Amino acid sequence: MTQLLQVEHLSKAFPGVQALDDVSLVVQAGEIHALMGENGAGKSTLVKILVGAERKDQGRILWRGQEVAFNHPAQARAAGIAVIYQELALIPWLSAAENVFMGDLPAGRKAGRPWAEVDWKRMYAQAQEIFDRLGLQVDPHTEVWRLGVAQRQLLEIARALHRNADLLIMDEPTASLTERESAQLFRILRDLKSRGTSIIYISHHLEEVFALADRMTVLRDGRKVAETAVADCTPDQLIAWMVGRSIQHRQPQRRRAGPAKAPDGAEVLRVEGLTREPAFRGISFSLHRGEILGIGGLVGAGRTELVRALFGADRADSGRIFVDGREVRIASPREAIALGMGLLTEDRKGQGLILGHSIEDNVALPVLSRLSRRGRIVNARRSEMVDQYIRSLNIRTPSREQAVGNLSGGNQQKVVLAKWLATGARILIFDEPTRGIDVGAKEEIYQLIEDLARRGVAVLMVSSELPELLALSDRILVMREGRLAGVLGAAEASEEKVMRLAMGQ
């Protein structure tokens, strides 16, 4: 096969960390090449260097046999390389079609006019053709802010397909997609491959890699540890390469108490008939001390909207909320925090952290008043508290002064958790707790959630990963189209039962 991309002996260092160390990689024309590794292994740095978003320290890059050094992502796009990052880069107040064609609006001159004008009709028609190919059921005129997360993800893919790239780099493309949407995406990728397009595919879902990829390169701690045909590798071998140790794919054993019934702990939260149209309506449940209550359902079922309303981020239309048996009114996150609640959002970078600030700043932010004396922050007290959480949560960082944006996804999630633990939260809401987190860090997050429950914290957990939901939950609430479709106890729950409730079958 023809070599489309060659990376030779690439190295890159940042203050306090060697992000890439002598990494080489070959991508053939018309192949799907998986780039694997834990968060922090160097995958994102490698991609940024490939497209000119970062400068390399050493090494060289060959594109179609010619050495290149892109100084800006626009140069990489012009050369035929498109990237879909995990963090979506859409303009919310523009239409879906305008986002797809941004920077490449179809234009033409009208008779008698010396200037070119945007051909809106052609743009929307071409956008519709791409959407049909993707199975994206969105009116091209719709403003992006009105779309759900899964639809926005597909819109990013549509934008990349429009550019007809020779190399498509995809970072966790199915993170917000349902099984059906993921299957449609895989069909599209296989079609692109058959037409000669190469794809670098980054995913923490091992089953996707083994179903889709031809070859893989594995990074660990900034070094390449393996490059092999997928057919010559097993999931266990891949995990060992990624984490440097053997990890058993486990189903954490918790209290398998039988059919859906409340655990022995005291009730700390009760919800009666909570409604926020059109997202969800008539939701009732209870949450107990030391319980992990899972919330399952398909994308768009109203799960995230429900927990945002509980936390006061969005206002409910009607319904009642009780904390420790007392009816409360939660009109803002500040009021939720005062009641002992914390929310780890699905968008930790956009809503849970201040990426440019240090670990210390992020963890201490909600409790600054407690760390102050006569209006001044006691720095020694703040540093001692943050160091304690760095140790207890095993946050991997050179120091508490490290900018949170430079941490891996798993360590960022631990910083968010430390922030809420610092407030003394007794009710913790996790919305997609391991989204974008590698297999090794997932194990640590699972252990932390279990430890919190053992210490009496009440946990409400939204997850789109059924094995995760089944493994950790004492009970599972299943939502469908904004309503509660059913409740399953740990002993009776299965992937099939959850999906049947979620799909109304």
Side-chain angles (χ1 to χ4, degrees):
M1 295 179 69
T2 304
Q3 292 184 354
L4 182 68
L5 173 73
Q6 272 181 278
V7 175
E8 296 182 350
H9 309 294
L10 213 62
S11 294
K12 175 67 178 180
F14 295 103
V17 60
Q18 183 72 37
L20 292 175
D21 187 2
D22 194 33
V23 171
S24 297
L25 167 74
V26 173
V27 177
Q28 309 284 358
E31 77 163 349
I32 299 178
H33 194 112
L35 182 59
M36 306 299 293
E38 292 190 274
N39 285 110
K43 305 187 301 295
S44 295
T45 301
L46 175 57
V47 169
K48 289 177 181 177
I49 291 174
L50 287 178
V51 300
E54 291 282 0
R55 296 288 186 90
K56 66 184 185 299
D57 293 338
Q58 293 179 342
R60 66 177 190 154
I61 300 168
L62 301 177
W63 175 246
R64 297 194 185 102
Q66 300 295 317
E67 185 170 356
V68 295
F70 300 126
N71 295 314
H72 191 276
Q75 294 178 343
R77 287 195 296 269
I81 301 175
V83 186
I84 301 173
Y85 290 107
Q86 190 175 343
E87 293 79 32
L88 304 183
L90 300 170
I91 301 176
W93 55 85
L94 294 183
S95 71
E98 287 171 309
N99 272 274
V100 169
F101 284 84
M102 183 56 59
D104 187 29
L105 295 172
R109 283 188 170 89
K110 292 185 178 180
R113 296 181 181 178
W115 61 85
E117 294 182 352
V118 174
D119 189 338
W120 298 105
K121 184 177 180 180
R122 180 155 60 99
M123 182 189 73
Y124 285 114
Q126 291 178 355
Q128 187 64 65
E129 290 177 4
I130 298 172
F131 293 176
D132 290 343
R133 183 178 170 193
L134 275 173
L136 176 56
Q137 298 178 352
V138 167
D139 186 329
H141 298 80
T142 303
E143 294 169 327
V144 165
W145 68 268
R146 298 179 182 276
L147 304 181
V149 175
Q151 293 171 316
R152 296 184 193 192
Q153 176 69 63
L154 286 175
L155 194 60
E156 281 275 20
I157 295 167
R159 182 160 63 178
L161 291 182
H162 162 65
R163 299 182 184 279
N164 294 317
D166 294 311
L167 175 62
L168 181 60
I169 304 174
M170 310 187 79
D171 187 1
E172 298 288 350
T174 65
S176 301
L177 304 186
T178 64
E179 276 191 40
R180 185 174 64 180
E181 291 165 336
S182 296
Q184 175 68 12
L185 171 64
F186 296 161
R187 286 194 292 272
I188 292 166
L189 296 185
R190 292 187 182 106
D191 179 58
L192 289 172
K193 170 189 165 183
S194 70
R195 299 182 187 190
T197 301
S198 298
I199 298 160
I200 294 179
Y201 193 88
I202 302 171
S203 177
H204 295 309
H205 296 283
L206 305 191
E207 68 278 4
E208 293 180 4
V209 170
F210 283 91
L212 195 63
D214 301 299
R215 294 192 307 126
M216 68 172 72
T217 295
V218 186
L219 303 182
R220 185 175 73 239
D221 298 330
R223 285 182 163 272
K224 184 176 83 171
V225 294
E227 184 173 341
T228 182
V230 171
D232 295 335
C233 179
T234 66
D236 287 342
Q237 177 63 71
L238 173 56
I239 292 170
W241 280 333
M242 288 170 60
V243 303
R245 62 189 187 279
S246 177
I247 288 183
Q248 185 75 26
H249 276 304
R250 66 176 183 122
Q251 297 291 324
Q253 296 299 310
R254 292 184 43 77
R255 296 167 293 283
R256 304 292 181 182
K261 63 180 182 181
D264 296 333
E267 181 185 86
V268 294
L269 175 68
R270 186 167 82 253
V271 175
E272 295 181 355
L274 201 65
T275 297
R276 177 180 169 83
E277 295 285 2
F280 61 88
R281 62 202 67 85
I283 303 296
S284 300
F285 65 89
S286 60
L287 176 65
H288 296 74
R289 186 177 185 274
E291 180 184 21
I292 299 176
L293 181 61
I295 303 181
L298 302 178
V299 172
R303 300 168 303 167
T304 292
E305 293 84 351
L306 171 62
V307 297
R308 282 180 58 84
L310 281 175
F311 194 64
D314 297 323
R315 182 163 295 187
D317 299 330
S318 61
R320 307 170 74 189
I321 300 174
F322 298 82
V323 175
D324 296 329
R326 179 174 62 89
E327 186 170 2
V328 297
R329 177 180 174 274
I330 304 176
S332 69
R334 182 185 297 273
E335 293 177 6
I337 294 169
L339 290 167
M341 299 172 67
L343 170 63
L344 288 85
T345 73
E346 64 174 338
D347 182 10
R348 60 177 171 267
K349 291 186 177 182
Q351 301 175 7
L353 296 166
I354 305 174
L355 297 180
H357 284 238
S358 68
I359 296 172
E360 184 169 19
D361 289 342
N362 276 272
V363 173
L365 186 61
V367 291
L368 287 178
S369 60
R370 208 175 68 207
L371 299 171
S372 301
R373 182 182 301 155
R374 296 174 184 173
R376 290 189 176 183
I377 297 173
V378 180
N379 290 325
R381 185 186 301 175
R382 180 176 67 173
S383 298
E384 181 182 354
M385 179 197 73
V386 174
D387 284 342
Q388 176 187 339
Y389 283 116
I390 289 175
R391 290 192 299 270
S392 63
L393 298 180
N394 192 27
I395 299 173
R396 296 182 179 89
T397 176
S399 72
R400 75 177 88 89
E401 285 82 25
Q402 178 72 277
V404 168
N406 292 335
L407 300 179
S408 68
N411 286 304
Q412 287 179 349
Q413 189 72 314
K414 291 178 185 178
V415 173
V416 180
L417 179 56
K419 179 177 72 172
W420 292 121
L421 292 178
T423 68
R426 300 174 300 113
I427 302 170
L428 281 176
I429 304 170
F430 290 82
D431 191 359
E432 303 291 358
T434 61
R435 173 169 289 168
I437 293 177
D438 61 75
V439 64
K442 279 186 178 182
E443 293 289 326
E444 293 187 87
I445 297 296
Y446 294 159
Q447 188 62 55
L448 288 171
I449 292 174
E450 289 181 317
D451 289 344
L452 288 168
R454 276 191 286 269
R455 285 160 44 191
V457 174
V459 176
L460 191 63
M461 182 183 73
V462 174
S463 178
S464 297
E465 295 193 26
L466 284 179
E468 178 174 280
L469 200 65
L470 294 167
L472 293 173
S473 304
D474 293 300
R475 292 183 298 145
I476 299 174
L477 309 179
V478 184
M479 294 182 66
R480 177 170 59 89
E481 296 178 354
R483 293 188 178 275
L484 185 59
V487 183
L488 298 170
E492 62 181 332
S494 67
E495 290 194 23
E496 181 182 2
K497 287 182 178 180
V498 172
M499 288 305 297
R500 283 185 177 275
L501 286 171
M503 300 177 70
Q505 296 181 351

